[in-house]
Structures are given as C-alpha cells and as structure tokens.
Amino acid sequence: MDAELVQEMVKSGATALAGLMAKAAWGQASSRVARMFGRGERDEEATAELEVIRAEVLEAGDNQEVLADQTAALRNRLRALFRENPDAIDELRDILGEFSPQETTRIGTIHNEVSKSTIRGNVIQTGTGNARF
C-alpha cells in the first residue's frame, strides 16, 4: 500500500473520527469503529478506549489543545491498525462515508488538462465534474 495514501488516511481519518465523536451519529457508528479497531477479538477493550477519547473530545468544547491531543491519539491508533491490517483503510472509508459523508477522504488520481488555449498565469480548478474549455 502506498505510504502517502496511508499517511493521508491516518491524518484525515483521525480528524473525521474526532469530529464524529462529537455528533449524535457516534451512537450508531461507535460499534463499527470499535470492531474495526478491535478486529473482532478486542472489541470491548476498543470500545472502552474510544469512549475515553470521546469523553475528552466532548469535554474539550473549543479547547483546541485537548482536541489536538485526542486527534493525535486517534492518529496513533489508526497508524498501528493500518500497519497491522491495511484493509482497515477501506473499512474506515466506508464508516466515514456512511456517518460523516462530508468528511470522507476520497483519494485517487487527479488529471488536469488544458488544451487549445494559451494561458498566462495560474489555473485554478475547483469542484467536481467534467469542465469543458
């Protein structure tokens, strides 16, 4: 697995999970996240650890330092999980896609092409879809 992809999923996945913990959807997502971390063998232990992190996230409110600490804890857990089980990246993507679709990281190939024009200066592409020039 591409190391850059893994690192991006560690970073964005931890941030998305911390955000999800502060939402009502966590009640539905938490068992799936715990199964992902527990791998079916340590689900109860994973649930307890995630609830400790969630309690800190909820208590933090706007305290960015505490939120950063808990996000770092999730990053460390994800890094270890992905090292042990690379398929967990897809599992995390599925969970986030279902419970936090606006925060789901979609990593793929981006190909930009500008033709039949003379362009001087910067070209900025935004949005999705097929733009025609």
Side-chain angles (χ1 to χ4, degrees):
M1 174 132 322
D2 180 16
E4 195 172 306
L5 168 68
V6 171
Q7 186 56 32
E8 181 58 33
M9 279 304 296
V10 164
K11 182 179 172 186
S12 63
T15 301
L17 281 176
L20 182 59
M21 287 178 167
K23 297 179 182 174
W26 178 251
Q28 296 172 316
S30 62
S31 62
R32 286 186 54 195
V33 175
R35 271 194 311 275
M36 179 186 70
F37 280 116
R39 307 310 309 155
E41 298 171 7
R42 301 181 23 237
D43 295 0
E44 287 182 28
E45 183 181 327
T47 297
E49 291 172 359
L50 290 168
E51 285 307 311
V52 168
I53 293 171
R54 180 174 189 251
E56 291 279 333
V57 167
L58 293 175
E59 282 181 32
D62 291 335
N63 185 331
Q64 296 302 310
E65 185 176 338
V66 173
L67 291 173
D69 288 347
Q70 297 315 310
T71 302
L74 289 166
R75 272 196 312 270
N76 290 335
R77 298 225 30 190
L78 287 172
R79 192 174 292 112
L81 174 66
F82 295 161
R83 191 175 318 128
E84 199 174 291
N85 183 359
D87 292 337
I89 289 176
D90 293 330
E91 194 172 346
L92 176 61
R93 243 191 229 125
D94 290 344
I95 292 168
L96 294 177
E98 183 176 340
F99 294 102
S100 286
Q102 70 280 7
E103 297 176 24
T104 302
T105 301
R106 303 215 187 273
I107 298 175
T109 301
I110 296 173
H111 177 81
N112 296 317
E113 183 177 323
V114 178
S115 62
K116 298 181 184 179
S117 283
T118 302
I119 296 176
R120 289 181 171 71
N122 296 326
V123 174
I124 300 172
Q125 177 179 333
T126 64
T128 59
N130 295 323
R132 302 275 181 216
F133 291 98

